[in-house]
Amino acid sequence: MKLAILSRKSDLYSTRRLKEAGEERGHEVHVIDHLQCDIMIEQNALAMYYQGQKLTDYDAVIPRIGASVTFYGTAVLRQFEMMDVFSANRSIAITRSRDKLRSLQMLAAAGLDLPKTAFTNYSKEEKQIIQNLGGAPLIVKLLEGTQGLGVVLAETIKAAKSVIEAFHGLKARIIVQEFIKEAKASDIRAFIVDGEVVGAMKRTGKEGEFRSNLHRGGSAELIRLKRSEKAAAIKAAAAMGLHIAGVDMLQSDRGPLILEVNSSPGLEGIETATEKDIAGKIIEFVERNYQNKRGRKKNA
């Protein structure tokens, strides 16, 4: 199988592990920087060029597209899809997951529980928003924030009102969420591959930090998921249409609460915590689906 990994840098842990896992299974693996791809579109003649060379004969692609380049990255992935190349995650599913508001709406519509959330069009009714969410403390998040950036804990009603006013004054799009005290600055990352939880870890923020992101200095440990947590994670990934996903959840008194579904979850934290070959699981998934696709073509 000729496999492409869409990634900005070949030395990133996740990219490197996927390349190693693919080559160990006898595949030809190329790392392609999606921002250096040129898309050519004309009737019945879709094509793609990378550093001046035409990309041909690829069987499958694994997207590792950063949030800051979602628009162009998914455009490149969409071109691969239209060239009949199997994609581990579809471009439309990645686009859905990157829109925090849209994804929360879809998760709620799918019957999943999540922290109570408010979104307004720069409303001046900050007091009403805070009351609707049950008062302080509250979490205020930038819609475009990633890796814990743009997330603020407002511990009092006065602080919450000031933070919301400040973000609105800057015309920044935000969501406001209830604070889940019993989570104790920890969350769960469940790693999904093809509708199955292949690994899970509990992430805890460093001392004095309410954010549990590993990029913010948090720590991770292996965790055995409850049946309800496993079911929620699988359902959340399916709601987004993602075959590969990192589902972030909070443990609350009312059960698991979905925070976010990540379409390009990092491998380093989960492989270190679980001591599992998650990269190999992803390659196996791609192999199965590529072979199934070939079988359907042969029988058509």
Side-chain angles (χ1 to χ4, degrees), residues 255-274:
L257 305 179
I258 305 297
L259 283 176
E260 186 177 4
V261 183
N262 193 317
S263 57
S264 292
L267 296 179
E268 186 170 10
I270 194 72
E271 287 197 334
T272 301
T274 64

Side-chain angles (χ1 to χ4, degrees), residues 2-4 28 30 32 46-50 53-60 80 83 85:
K2 187 176 178 182
L3 175 63
E28 180 183 347
H30 300 266
I32 295 173
L46 295 170
M48 192 124 58
Y49 290 81
Y50 178 59
Q53 299 294 315
K54 190 174 184 179
L55 298 178
T56 58
D57 303 322
Y58 278 92
D59 300 308
F80 271 111
M83 292 162 60
V85 178

